[in-house]
Amino acid sequence: MSLPRMFRIRQHFENPRVDDVAAATRLQLETLGLAARLKPGASVAVTAGSRGIANIDLVIGSIVRHLKDLGAKPFIVPAMGSHGGGTAQGQREIIEGYGVTEAAMGCPIRATMETVIVDRTPQGIPVHFDRYAYEADHVVVCNRVKPHTGFVGEIESGLHKMMLIGLGKHEGAKVYHRAIKDFSFGEIIHAVADVVLKKCKVLAGVAIVENSADETALIEAVPPERFAEREIALLKLARQWMPRLPFPDVDLLIIDRIGKNISGTGMDTNVVGRKYNDHVPTEQDDARVKRIFVRGLTPDTHGNATGIGIAEFTNRRTLEQIDHKITAVNCITGGHPTAAMIPIVCENDREAVESALSTLGLTPPDQIRVMQIANTLHLSEALVSEAYLDEARRAPHIEIVSEPEELPCDEQGNLFPVFTHTHAGH
């Protein structure tokens, strides 16, 4: 089968950027006047999640230093639901992989999967909270605000989700994801957050918003009483700044790597357009993708292939990278078991592309819309097929970088990645 000819394009997004992340974090925290609420020697738990948040070590390090300067005794708690295989050691290793180590932060890391049930919501849902965080005098909640991959609302992924899923650990995550079958996401997130804010001594929040290049675009310190108000506003900014596919209609999307450090679903369903159905784009999705081929996993995902089930095709190399136990734990906890299902496995990339194209009907190869991306975070550049050429020439936000040429494969029949290993995220 002859494959479509591909050319490289570069997208130009609105990309506000924080140049000095540590200083910006400190300046924001100073606006809260925390000294008035902190007694000398007070213990403060600071959350660290599993997502690949840009500069997270700088943000958390700055929070820790500010608290120490105020005479407090901060420590870090890995806060990430069921990730890391649902084990304390696995979760500790994840944040250490992001540079959040005891040596670098200058404070202890206290990892546990034990929780305290602090109360029940009006719906009868038990509210779980990390034991070490609950025993602390205060808690600082730190997270990135962005659209959730499975839910829609005025509050999605951010400070509230960290209070629920992150600090709820494996037990809390299981309960809340089950409760979503009976109550709306909005009902649960507000009810649980109300309990946490009343019972768990939350001192402050640090909200992060990123731009389309996976860079820190905004940092805001938020007092607990304004979590909901500010998160609603910041989510709108996050939607505005998030990366998008260069074209919404795609016959075959080739993704070099998926992983938990890229998105909660491995590939961001806000980007690929399968937020409401694993394999069929809906009218509510921004992108309409017919087939997805996943070529690999990120090293930072540690074998967690959550989201692989959203794709129709993969290769033998990717299959061998999967830790099936870790993936199953995460997907079962999240109430999304189909995200762990294995797509059709091909021996190499060329076979996968040919197999995918053969399922698309009678469209000639030169008219098939194929797109290859590094992952759903790094979308500044992509390879797209010749069928997009006229549209690319007309689009003001797209720059054509190369002329169309044959889709190159190596001697093993595998494609070359969109970016080399030296590019961010690879």
Side-chain angles (χ1 to χ4, degrees):
M1 179 186 291
S2 62
L3 304 182
R5 287 163 26 110
M6 308 284 283
F7 63 99
R8 182 177 293 268
I9 58 101
R10 182 175 296 128
Q11 295 197 84
H12 297 282
F13 298 105
E14 178 186 1
N15 275 341
R17 184 172 178 269
V18 175
D19 291 322
D20 190 333
V21 171
T25 304
R26 186 179 187 90
L27 285 172
Q28 279 292 308
L29 287 167
E30 288 173 352
T31 67
L32 298 183
L34 298 181
R37 299 174 58 190
L38 281 171
K39 294 180 180 179
S43 60
V44 185
V46 180
T47 69
S50 62
R51 300 292 189 260
I53 301 173
N55 302 309
I56 191 60
D57 55 332
L58 299 179
V59 174
I60 292 178
S62 189
I63 295 171
V64 167
R65 286 191 296 277
H66 183 66
L67 291 170
K68 289 172 76 172
D69 288 347
L70 296 179
K73 293 183 177 179
F75 64 92
I76 294 163
V77 292
M80 56 188 78
S82 65
H83 304 169
T87 68
Q89 183 59 29
Q91 297 198 346
R92 183 184 181 113
E93 288 172 0
I94 286 176
I95 67 169
E96 288 177 342
Y98 298 147
V100 181
T101 64
E102 291 189 343
M105 299 297 101
C107 74
I109 295 173
R110 297 179 185 164
T112 182
M113 299 307 294
E114 291 183 46
T115 60
V116 176
I117 297 177
V118 300
D119 204 346
R120 290 181 178 269
T121 70
Q123 298 90 346
I125 303 167
V127 177
H128 289 261
F129 204 75
D130 178 285
R131 182 170 67 83
Y132 289 137
Y134 185 72
E135 292 172 353
D137 294 318
H138 301 281
V139 179
V140 172
V141 179
C142 176
N143 202 18
R144 175 177 56 198
V145 175
K146 64 175 293 188
H148 195 280
T149 54
F151 306 111
V152 178
E154 59 181 11
I155 292 174
E156 295 187 18
S157 186
L159 301 178
H160 280 69
K161 188 186 173 194
M162 180 58 79
M163 289 191 292
L164 271 72
I165 308 297
L167 286 164
K169 309 299 287 197
H170 193 183
E171 289 304 313
K174 284 194 295 186
V175 169
Y176 306 142
H177 282 108
R178 287 173 185 165
I180 285 164
K181 308 302 180 186
D182 298 313
F183 303 98
S184 74
F185 180 62
E187 283 181 280
I188 296 167
I189 205 166
H190 284 292
V192 175
D194 285 347
V195 171
V196 170
L197 291 172
K198 287 175 185 174
K199 303 274 188 176
C200 299
K201 299 163 288 187
V202 175
L203 178 70
V206 176
I208 303 163
V209 181
E210 293 181 351
N211 63 25
S212 66
D214 191 27
E215 300 169 328
T216 309
L218 179 149
I219 298 168
E220 182 173 325
V222 187
E225 64 273 14
R226 297 191 67 200
F227 274 19
E229 169 199 342
R230 292 310 304 151
E231 203 168 332
I232 290 168
L234 294 175
L235 179 59
K236 292 176 182 176
L237 278 179
R239 286 190 199 284
Q240 179 182 326
W241 294 338
M242 73 182 295
R244 290 174 174 80
L245 295 178
F247 309 102
D249 292 292
V250 187
D251 293 321
L252 171 60
L253 178 65
I254 304 168
I255 305 178
D256 286 343
R257 288 175 173 176
I258 66 170
K260 294 297 292 189
N261 60 310
I262 300 296
S263 172
T265 46
M267 61 183 91
D268 192 335
T269 53
N270 294 286
V271 172
V272 304
R274 296 187 175 190
K275 189 166 181 174
Y276 308 92
N277 187 307
D278 283 354
H279 294 286
V280 179
T282 72
E283 292 181 356
Q284 296 169 285
D285 288 309
D286 292 331
R288 295 166 291 278
V289 179
K290 293 180 180 177
R291 298 285 184 266
I292 295 178
F293 161 39
V294 170
R295 298 183 57 242
L297 305 181
T298 64
D300 288 341
T301 202
H302 301 284
N304 188 333
T306 293
I308 191 73
I310 297 173
E312 286 78 30
F313 295 89
T314 190
N315 52 31
R316 180 73 54 191
R317 181 179 67 250
T318 303
L319 182 67
E320 292 170 353
Q321 294 174 333
I322 297 174
D323 185 316
H324 294 278
K325 182 177 180 180
I326 285 177
T327 304
V329 167
N330 197 183
C331 292
I332 291 169
T333 302
H336 191 187
T338 56
M341 296 175 72
I342 303 301
I344 292 175
V345 179
C346 300
E347 292 305 313
N348 58 39
D349 292 356
R350 184 180 182 94
E351 181 185 325
V353 172
E354 290 179 348
S355 297
L357 295 182
S358 72
T359 69
L360 293 171
L362 299 175
T363 308
D366 64 341
Q367 294 177 31
I368 291 178
R369 295 167 297 188
V370 179
M371 188 180 298
Q372 183 181 350
I373 61 173
N375 54 60
T376 55
L377 267 183
H378 302 98
L379 292 168
S380 59
E381 292 192 17
L383 297 174
V384 299
S385 64
E386 208 165 5
Y388 289 114
L389 192 53
D390 289 341
E391 195 174 349
R393 287 170 174 158
R394 295 192 302 267
H397 70 292
I398 288 178
E399 172 189 354
I400 296 175
V401 178
S402 69
E403 294 300 314
E405 58 184 10
E406 298 299 324
L407 191 62
C409 294
D410 63 18
E411 294 178 356
Q412 286 74 45
N414 293 317
L415 301 173
F416 295 97
V418 171
F419 296 115
T420 67
H421 68 280
T422 57
H423 188 275
H426 293 263

